Amino acid sequence: RINSLNFTSDSKFLYSASLDGRVYKWDLSSKSGSNIGTETDRINSIDMTSNGNYLAGITADNRVVIWDPENYSDNYRIETGQKDIRVIRFKPDGNILAIGNAEGTVELWDVSSRKIMTQVKAHAAQVNDIRFNPVFSQMATAGNDNYIRIYNAKDINSLTEPPITISDNEANVS
């Protein structure tokens, strides 16, 4: 079963991650696919930078691995300690990866330098989704605390401005 999909920005390829941990790169013109998953990590969810330079995945043990989709043997893990990672999402205009965990924290990483830029306690419970609005430079998060929070992401190094909070949800926001 397929769990996650991503098109390349040129629409020539589609990447898929399945529940058995395999990652495939599908050539849409030839309708053929090849397994590009790492040999050691089973990947359950993926996201790709808009320029196609990096592919990120959440492993079966809820850790984050990054690799170059053209050279998938060149991969590394983002060191998030023992955090239970639930969602990853690349910011559309660069190599910034947002990582949401079960404790409600969102970390922003520069994957090209392999360094954390900032983090914010976004929710009192698990972060379920992260989305970016490139038009208004916003980052939205959804959590198991029944809230949606919208952050000003113009200065991605600092998310100190209080977010807009949407709180009229009666249950977890996924």
Side-chain angles (χ1 to χ4, degrees):
R1 291 179 26 188
I2 302 297
N3 199 36
S4 185
L5 295 169
N6 273 301
F7 282 103
T8 57
S9 60
D10 61 8
S11 299
K12 293 181 180 180
F13 299 97
L14 175 69
Y15 289 87
S16 65
S18 58
L19 291 177
D20 64 3
R22 292 183 291 171
V23 177
Y24 273 84
K25 178 180 180 179
W26 300 95
D27 182 325
L28 298 176
S29 62
S30 69
K31 298 180 178 78
S32 62
S34 59
N35 187 358
I36 65 151
T38 65
E39 297 298 320
T40 58
D41 295 310
R42 291 182 46 173
I43 307 296
N44 293 331
S45 179
I46 55 173
D47 197 29
M48 176 176 264
T49 56
S50 57
N51 61 15
N53 290 342
Y54 294 101
L55 193 63
I58 300 176
T59 65
D61 62 349
N62 297 327
R63 303 290 174 241
V64 179
V65 64
I66 307 289
W67 70 98
D68 175 346
E70 298 304 317
N71 182 13
Y72 53 86
S73 63
D74 181 25
N75 66 67
Y76 68 93
R77 285 180 179 258
I78 289 184
E79 296 304 323
T80 57
Q82 298 300 314
K83 295 175 184 147
D84 187 1
I85 306 304
R86 294 303 176 160
V87 61
I88 55 173
R89 189 78 58 216
F90 276 106
K91 191 171 182 282
D93 58 353
N95 297 325
I96 306 302
L97 180 67
I99 300 172
N101 66 41
E103 292 78 35
T105 302
V106 174
E107 297 177 350
L108 296 169
W109 286 76
D110 181 335
V111 296
S112 54
S113 69
R114 301 181 183 193
K115 294 183 180 178
I116 189 169
M117 299 173 67
T118 191
Q119 66 180 355
V120 64
K121 179 69 172 169
H123 296 275
Q126 175 176 303
V127 178
N128 292 325
D129 203 3
I130 301 168
R131 297 292 171 158
F132 286 95
N133 179 344
V135 174
F136 296 111
S137 297
Q138 296 170 319
M139 177 181 74
T141 63
N144 275 357
D145 59 0
N146 304 354
Y147 294 118
I148 295 171
R149 294 214 162 89
I150 303 171
Y151 292 86
N152 179 351
K154 284 183 184 166
D155 180 9
I156 206 73
N157 290 308
S158 174
L159 296 175
T160 57
E161 188 176 309
I164 296 168
T165 300
I166 300 172
S167 60
D168 61 347
N169 302 294
E170 296 177 10
N172 299 340
V173 182
S174 54

